[in-house]
Amino acid sequence: EAETDNRKRAKAAMLFREGKQWDDDNNSSASEDSPELTINLTDAFVRRVVNNIKQQRPRGKCHPVGDGADIEIAEVINGIGRHVETRSEASVAYDFAAERSVDAGVGYFRILPEYVDPKSRQKDLRILPIRNIFSVTMDPSAIMPSGADQNWCIVSVKMPRQEYVRKYGIKDKTGWSDISKADRSDDWENKEEIRLAEYLRIREKAEKVYFIAGPGVEEFGLYKSELPLGDDGKFDLDQVKARLAMHGMEITGERDSIKRTVEWFKLNGLKVVERQILPGQYIPIFRVEGNAMDIDGRIRRRGMVESMQDPQRMVNYGEVAKIKRLGLAPKAPWVAVEGQLDGHPEWDDANQKSYSVLTYKPVIIETSGGPVPMPAPVRQPPAQIEAGFADFVQGMRSNLMAVAGMPSEPGQDQQGVVVSGEAIRRRNYLSDQSHYQYYDNLTLAIAQCWRVMVEWIPIYFSEHRMQRIIGDDSTPGMVKINEPSEEDGVQKVKNDLSIGRYDVVMDTGPGYETKREEGAEGLINLMKIPALAEIVAKTAPDLIFRSIDHPYMQELSDRLMAENPEGLKKIMEGLSSRAKSIVQSMSNENNALKKQLEQVQADLKYGITKSHLEATVKAHDTETNAQTKIHDTETKAHTALAVAEIRAGASLMN
């Protein structure tokens, strides 16, 4: 009852986008003798919005919040989450749900646990699309666009009857008898398949929470049902306190709370055939909403197709009217006097074939003024489309683009007018702004999916194993999770995913490849500044080449990476223990040789400096002595000259 109207309009919108744009009403459809042409601009506009979402797919990230969480474990969880998305090809689920939200107003996808392979006891997670949006019935009271606050959800699924009998038995083979008449069709159930329903619900139960703390342990809370039972199989608080005291912990407080449990059932038309308790507190089915409006307590959902239907029909009607107008052109565009074409059958197909000569019979009419010859046959011009009619059809296209949120298409510019790339980018930005709600709602749905993953990962990845993780740059790696270890005589668990409380944030915008191209361009521009180029060349030259998308650049960056201490440290993180010991030994030997070389260079430099200093001092002393001797000689000469002059003067005076 809550979704009937939305489902009808969603189905009509999906069919309209696929080309069913004419109806059977004579007042609104083309007449019987007119072609029902479909100029399907709607699908092109929807495809543009969907493809833009695909190019900027949101990415989830896990952040530590408390209860012993740390950044390193958060990075491991992020790597596992990206691993789940990669193995699931989650882009299919995300894109399909986003596309349905754009055309039908709502889309769905889900996450499920599954075994790694038929021979394994380990489980992994998989994100799956829900192709048939009409198979999902979600709690109408859920307000969040992602359905995070839903209390129940129903998903109808089909199963072959033979498989059903093999799995559940012939006695439980009961169909649905309380469905509406519209659903009683081969699509609902048939001779080969039976329809089941998955029913998920949130069950809230009042339960007491105990707070536990100890030396060096951050306080945490546990429900009463999570504490160990006594020797008699019943809950005994004194025995719980005694066991905690053995580990240096104690109960510091308690309070009444509510425990949320997710229950999953599989139903046929009469009874429950399978049931299970799911971990976490959220239903693992996610909604990508389009445009939603609460009108008198009822939610009305729509995509972008519904508002485009009338403008699209006007475009179709205008094109049909143009065809009809062109059809009025005469098939034989010649006007002749009766009798002029008698005996000349070539005139019958003169409008289809090219004749070098067309012969006609002259016709003379007797008038009061005498005989008058009639003119030769004249070719008539074809019918023309009036200018106002063409403007009307073009106006209908403009209305459709405006309603679609794309009022300024680059292709609508006048011929011969050059449009800059920046102008086109701004136009695309305006068009993207008109449909940002679809991208934003997809972001909310993926964030909710990651919250469920963060709750499920400690449950389904609880054993010690080697696990693939994928980095932000899509580079895979292997890490040991839940690895028992000993440090200073204390037993610990390395990469323990069960400890800590984490939250999810979303990273939106262009993908990693686009960011890498932009980063490479920025780094290359940075190298044009000499001062900064010198710093980059000394500290991280490998990053410059690694950012360039070329096969040989990766090999070159790997070689340069080993020349840098930080790069060498990062390389050693991915090596085995044996390789690490070899590299460490060679590194120590290399460092020792470097120190010896530095000492020799220092000694050599010191010896050269000392010799140079001694030679300089000796040369300086020699020069000083020489200058002193010269000065003494000059002084003696001046003195002798002065004495001689005095004597000469005295003799002259005498």
Side-chain angles (χ1 to χ4, degrees), residues 398 401-402 404-409 412 430-431 434:
S398 299
M401 288 188 294
M406 303 173 187
S408 299
E409 283 290 313
Q412 298 301 316
L430 292 175
S431 298
S434 302

Side-chain angles (χ1 to χ4, degrees), residues 53 82 114 134 142 223 234 273 339 344 382 387 409 413 473 485 517 535 606 610 621 623 631 643:
I53 293 176
R82 288 187 284 266
E114 65 179 10
F134 304 114
Y223 286 106
K234 298 181 180 180
V273 297
H344 300 284
E409 283 290 313
D413 295 322
D473 56 353
S485 61
E517 293 175 1
I535 296 175
Y606 175 74
K610 184 177 180 181
D621 292 341
E623 183 180 359
H631 184 269
V643 172

Side-chain angles (χ1 to χ4, degrees), residues 40 84 124 156 173 211 258 307 325 339 405 412 414 599 606:
N40 197 352
V84 171
D124 212 323
S156 64
K173 186 180 174 183
F211 300 98
I258 295 177
S307 58
R325 182 68 182 85
Q412 298 301 316
Q414 297 180 0
Q599 184 65 37
Y606 175 74

Side-chain angles (χ1 to χ4, degrees), residues 72-122:
E72 293 183 359
I73 300 297
E75 288 299 324
V76 174
I77 295 176
N78 288 332
I80 295 176
R82 288 187 284 266
H83 154 78
V84 171
E85 288 183 329
T86 301
R87 75 181 296 269
S88 307
E89 294 182 298
S91 59
V92 176
Y94 298 159
D95 296 343
F96 195 85
E99 186 168 354
R100 293 286 77 81
S101 70
V102 174
D103 58 19
V106 66
Y108 303 95
F109 63 96
R110 68 186 306 176
I111 185 171
L112 291 173
E114 65 179 10
Y115 287 102
V116 175
D117 58 65
K119 297 185 294 182
S120 175
R121 62 187 300 176
Q122 296 178 348

Side-chain angles (χ1 to χ4, degrees), residues 336-549:
V337 178
E338 182 179 3
Q340 284 184 321
L341 307 181
D342 294 345
H344 300 284
E346 64 270 16
W347 285 91
D348 294 337
D349 55 358
N351 62 325
Q352 299 177 1
K353 296 181 179 180
S354 177
Y355 291 100
S356 59
V357 177
L358 288 173
T359 305
Y360 70 96
K361 181 187 297 184
V363 176
I364 299 177
I365 300 178
E366 296 291 338
T367 64
S368 59
V372 177
M374 291 291 95
V378 180
R379 182 186 293 274
Q380 293 294 105
Q384 301 294 324
I385 300 295
E386 295 82 354
F389 192 88
D391 293 341
F392 168 78
V393 176
Q394 184 61 38
M396 296 304 99
R397 288 176 173 257
S398 299
N399 291 339
L400 176 59
M401 288 188 294
V403 172
M406 303 173 187
S408 299
E409 283 290 313
Q412 298 301 316
D413 295 322
Q414 297 180 0
Q415 294 184 0
V417 178
V418 179
V419 182
S420 66
E422 182 63 25
I424 294 177
R425 281 193 294 270
R426 290 185 178 182
R427 290 176 177 181
N428 292 339
Y429 174 76
L430 292 175
S431 298
D432 296 340
Q433 287 291 95
S434 302
H435 310 99
Y436 187 76
Q437 70 272 23
Y438 303 109
Y439 179 81
D440 189 47
N441 290 338
L442 175 62
T443 301
L444 296 175
I446 297 177
Q448 180 62 18
C449 177
W450 269 74
R451 291 189 187 96
V452 172
M453 273 201 295
V454 169
E455 288 186 336
W456 284 17
I457 284 174
I459 305 300
Y460 295 108
F461 295 81
S462 59
E463 69 278 358
H464 171 221
R465 60 170 158 171
M466 288 293 294
Q467 176 62 44
R468 181 184 73 166
I469 60 174
I470 297 179
D472 281 333
D473 56 353
S474 302
T475 301
M478 300 298 293
V479 65
K480 292 182 180 180
I481 60 174
N482 306 309
E483 179 185 9
S485 61
E486 184 175 343
E487 184 176 343
D488 297 332
V490 179
Q491 296 292 331
K492 293 186 176 181
V493 178
K494 186 178 180 181
N495 291 333
D496 187 357
L497 304 182
S498 63
I499 297 177
R501 183 161 49 91
Y502 299 88
D503 198 4
V504 174
V505 297
M506 296 303 294
D507 182 12
T508 59
Y512 175 78
E513 294 299 327
T514 303
K515 289 182 178 179
R516 188 178 70 169
E517 293 175 1
E518 295 176 353
E521 184 179 356
L523 286 174
I524 293 174
N525 292 332
L526 197 67
M527 296 298 290
K528 297 178 181 178
I529 304 174
L532 296 178
E534 183 179 358
I535 296 175
V536 175
K538 288 182 178 180
T539 57
D542 59 298
L543 297 181
I544 300 293
F545 297 96
R546 197 177 298 278
S547 63
I548 302 174
D549 190 10

